[in-house]
Amino acid sequence: MNILIVGGSGFLGRELAQQALATGHAVTATFATRAGNIPGIRWLPVDLRRSEEITPALRESQPDVVINAAYRKADWATTADGAIRLAMAAAQHGSRLVHVSSDAIFSGADVRYDESATPDPVTPYGAAKAAAETAIRLFVPDAVIARTSLIIGDGDSVHEAFIHELATGRRHGVLFTDDIRCPVHVTDLARAILELAAGDHAGVCHLAGSDAVSRHELGVLIADRDALDSSLLTAGCRADTGSPGALDVRLDSSRTQRTLRTTLRGARNFLRCEL
């Protein structure tokens, strides 16, 4: 299979590229500012904010599948407009599309969300992701929309870097006990996305971990795994701060999980497995 990974130089994009290459696929990956350094990957410069760069990349790479893992959180032009343009171009090219979305599309008012839940975002990022989903579902109904949650690795995600800074005193901050998500390991997520790409799935799929944990519990798990002093992680309540954003958002991935060979482990599993 010939795969184009948009956002291939990002955290998830790199894992997708490495796994796809390792399983025998031909892989082209895009970057906005700097190409990755994965041997065997063909790199193309594509900034989703520049519509004129999208079609030439598809024409050059001739993908069977396009996976959009591009990430620029505060930028509507990338997260909404660019994602929609990419989806339309992929459809015109005849390529299957897997679009990576986020639990940020939900407000937390209902706490538990399955694939049928209606987006009700409360942040600009969530609104941009919801806008992209709406357009893709309307204009590219055969596409897969893969919603996920906090993406954790083996020490190399932004969430883990933040915990390391807190636990070593290089940064001050609070980890909220009432801000709850369902973190997923990047290897599980990438494997599941590639499985969806190779199958006949369509529509919304949830790819989050099986455990709902607070930001503070997640921090403690990461600190304990990495032999850091978790007592230095200050706990607090986000509700007391007035910070914008959802509190308790739990993606229910059970329906999608039943269709996959890949197991989406919970944080209490994958962060303790090396202890």
Side-chain angles (χ1 to χ4, degrees):
M1 189 164 61
N2 190 356
I3 301 176
L4 174 64
I5 300 170
V6 179
S9 59
F11 181 53
L12 174 58
R14 291 194 306 272
E15 182 66 27
L16 284 164
Q18 290 170 330
Q19 286 196 24
L21 190 67
T23 51
H25 299 297
V27 180
T28 302
T30 77
F31 63 95
T33 56
R34 186 170 58 185
N37 58 359
I38 305 170
I41 302 294
R42 182 186 187 190
W43 293 94
L44 295 175
V46 174
D47 188 329
L48 290 181
R49 296 172 297 180
R50 302 188 181 107
S51 59
E52 69 274 11
E53 295 182 1
I54 295 173
T55 297
L58 289 166
R59 190 181 300 121
E60 187 169 346
S61 59
Q62 293 293 311
D64 302 305
V65 175
V66 176
I67 301 174
N68 182 15
Y71 179 82
R72 187 176 277 115
K73 190 168 185 178
D75 186 64
W76 183 278
T78 297
T79 305
D81 296 343
I84 295 166
R85 291 192 190 101
L86 175 65
M88 299 292 287
Q92 291 171 0
H93 188 271
S95 302
R96 178 166 169 75
L97 175 70
V98 179
H99 172 77
V100 180
S101 191
S102 168
D103 58 7
I105 67 167
F106 297 121
S107 70
D110 292 335
V111 178
R112 186 173 297 277
Y113 296 88
D114 65 15
E115 289 86 347
S116 66
T118 300
D120 60 341
V122 292
T123 64
Y125 175 62
K129 279 293 191 183
E133 282 198 15
T134 299
I136 291 169
R137 292 177 71 182
L138 179 62
F139 296 114
V140 193
D142 292 337
V144 174
I145 295 172
R147 293 177 184 149
T148 191
S149 189
L150 304 181
I151 306 175
I152 307 299
D154 296 320
D156 47 355
S157 71
V158 295
H159 307 292
E160 291 160 286
F162 179 61
I163 299 306
H164 277 235
E165 291 178 347
L166 292 177
T168 55
R170 288 177 289 150
R171 186 167 178 171
H172 298 287
V174 174
L175 294 174
F176 299 126
T177 58
D178 56 348
D179 190 332
I180 298 172
R181 299 293 186 272
C182 296
V184 64
H185 197 282
V186 67
T187 59
D188 297 346
L189 177 59
R191 190 175 294 120
I193 288 172
L194 291 170
E195 189 176 339
L196 292 173
D200 58 0
H201 296 76
V204 175
C205 296
H206 281 186
L207 301 177
S210 55
D211 293 335
V213 299
S214 71
R215 298 271 186 170
H216 185 263
E217 182 182 356
L218 178 63
V220 170
L221 288 168
I222 291 169
D224 289 346
R225 180 200 64 184
D226 296 341
L228 299 172
D229 186 355
S230 61
S231 69
L232 296 178
L233 302 177
T234 303
C237 289
R238 184 173 182 174
D240 295 337
T241 69
S243 300
L247 291 177
D248 195 340
V249 177
R250 310 182 189 202
L251 286 190
D252 181 352
S253 302
S254 57
R255 189 180 80 183
T256 298
Q257 178 67 88
R258 287 194 293 269
T259 70
L260 296 174
R261 297 185 304 276
T262 302
T263 298
L264 299 165
R265 295 170 293 165
R268 298 186 187 98
N269 179 329
F270 64 73
L271 287 170
R272 286 177 173 157
C273 63
E274 297 179 2
L275 293 181

